Amino acid sequence: MLTSEQVDQYRRDGYTVAPNLLSATEVTDLIVELDGICAGNTLAEHSDKLEMEPNQAPDGTVVRRVYEPCTYYPLFEKLSESPKLLDCIEGLIGPDILRHYSKINMKPAGIGSVVEWHQDMGYYPLTNGDSLAALMYLDDTTVENGCLQVIPGVHEQPLMDHTLDGFFQGKITEPVDESLAVPLEGEAGSVIFMHAMTPHASITNTSQTSRRTLIVSYRASDTYQLFCGTTTVDGHHHEKLVRGVWRLVARIAYSEFPIPKYRRTTASLYELQEQSREQ
């Protein structure tokens, strides 16, 4: 469970950090499972549950993302529903909790793809802001290997512009004052709880160590997605009530919220941001 100081920080800054929330044994078990999931996959031939780093030979084995581990792999599912994690989340968004989606960003040594500034709710507009991501570091994480960076204190403001010529770019397209950015370094097992409206980014991993992060998104059960086409429909397959009851009345906190319009279909944030850089 989070302390009152951590809860206050989340309310004020849009994030808080719980150092070493996961034990060393839990982290080791997750990495062993993750290594098994990735084994045997190549750029030319890989599971549809994986996204590979694009700049490698066809027989390259470097993975940049695992999709929905908490849906497909029991060890990750169990962690996402563990009391110690849900107790923390309940203190931030209340007792009725949906698991929204999950992924693992791999950030392999010397190559890990950059993630530009964005806000998660730009991708999936919701009826209110009781939504967060729990980002669990599976490696010791520093600026050098691409730790998360956030801009605190703006999560209660309107969504920043993510568009160009009316089309959603998957990244903030208005000026971002990077002097306000706070790098969130941490040991393996640390968990960051980040509001879905908090601007965040991560730079390329320039070190010789990986930076694997399990990301699980949660929202209150009376927080509903606004319809955005097939992306909304596809996402519902991975939703699961993990605590409390599913509220059948949506709580509306926003008088308006931008809906993303896509120029073309993309597989991921990485691809969308890459396409935006090519324009």
Side-chain angles (χ1 to χ4, degrees):
M1 186 173 293
L2 298 175
T3 66
S4 59
E5 290 79 12
Q6 289 169 315
V7 173
D8 288 344
Q9 183 188 26
Y10 178 85
R11 305 278 184 235
R12 181 185 67 248
D13 295 335
Y15 76 94
T16 194
V17 182
N20 306 118
L21 186 63
L22 307 184
S23 70
T25 298
E26 286 176 308
V27 171
T28 298
D29 290 346
L30 292 169
I31 289 175
V32 169
E33 180 78 1
L34 179 56
D35 287 346
I37 292 167
C38 296
N41 289 275
T42 66
L43 178 62
E45 198 168 335
H46 57 271
S47 166
D48 62 2
K49 298 179 180 63
L50 303 180
E51 181 176 343
M52 309 298 290
E53 286 284 355
N55 299 320
Q56 58 180 318
D59 61 351
T61 60
V62 183
V63 178
R64 72 175 174 185
R65 175 172 285 180
V66 179
Y67 287 104
E68 303 297 346
C70 298
T71 296
Y72 298 118
Y73 308 110
L75 187 64
F76 291 97
E77 180 181 33
K78 181 179 178 182
L79 173 61
S80 74
E81 300 175 17
S82 63
K84 69 177 176 182
L85 191 59
L86 294 182
D87 286 349
C88 294
I89 293 163
E90 180 172 343
L92 301 175
I93 64 172
D96 303 312
I97 303 171
L98 293 176
R99 188 180 68 224
H100 186 176
Y101 65 82
S102 62
K103 58 192 175 185
I104 302 170
N105 288 348
M106 300 292 283
K107 282 279 185 183
I111 190 175
S113 295
V114 64
V115 176
E116 298 187 59
W117 289 103
H118 67 285
Q119 294 162 286
D120 288 346
M121 273 179 60
Y123 283 82
Y124 48 86
L126 301 171
T127 58
N128 65 70
D130 276 339
S131 175
L132 59 80
L135 300 98
M136 301 171 232
Y137 284 159
L138 303 183
D139 298 289
D140 292 342
T141 300
T142 64
V143 170
E144 287 72 25
N145 67 357
C147 71
L148 183 74
Q149 301 181 71
V150 299
I151 297 179
V154 299
H155 56 293
E156 298 292 348
Q157 298 178 16
L159 185 76
M160 299 177 74
D161 190 8
H162 289 62
T163 66
L164 182 65
D165 298 328
F167 291 100
F168 184 64
Q169 302 296 301
K171 64 180 184 180
I172 296 171
T173 53
E174 63 180 271
V176 175
D177 186 353
E178 296 193 21
S179 70
L180 302 175
V182 177
L184 301 182
E185 298 180 309
E187 295 180 353
S190 298
V191 180
I192 300 163
F193 297 94
M194 183 185 70
H195 194 285
M197 287 283 279
T198 295
H200 59 286
S202 65
I203 60 175
T204 300
N205 182 355
T206 59
S207 77
Q208 295 306 304
T209 60
S210 61
R211 192 228 72 177
R212 293 162 289 190
T213 306
L214 169 63
I215 304 172
V216 188
S217 176
Y218 299 89
R219 68 181 199 265
S221 71
D222 60 358
T223 305
Y224 279 78
Q225 282 191 264
L226 302 177
F227 184 73
C228 299
T230 57
T231 56
T232 308
V233 176
D234 293 343
H236 281 300
H237 296 308
H238 302 287
E239 291 179 354
K240 182 179 180 181
L241 183 72
V242 292
R243 177 170 285 187
V245 298
W246 200 314
R247 299 292 178 182
L248 299 180
V249 176
R251 179 163 45 91
I252 313 295
Y254 299 121
S255 59
E256 60 181 25
F257 203 94
I259 301 298
K261 179 182 179 182
Y262 292 84
R263 189 184 298 272
R264 61 181 70 91
T265 301
T266 55
S268 71
L269 169 151
Y270 292 113
E271 287 190 6
L272 185 57
Q273 292 189 354
E274 286 163 1
Q275 289 173 4
S276 178
R277 290 194 288 272
E278 292 168 359
Q279 294 183 41

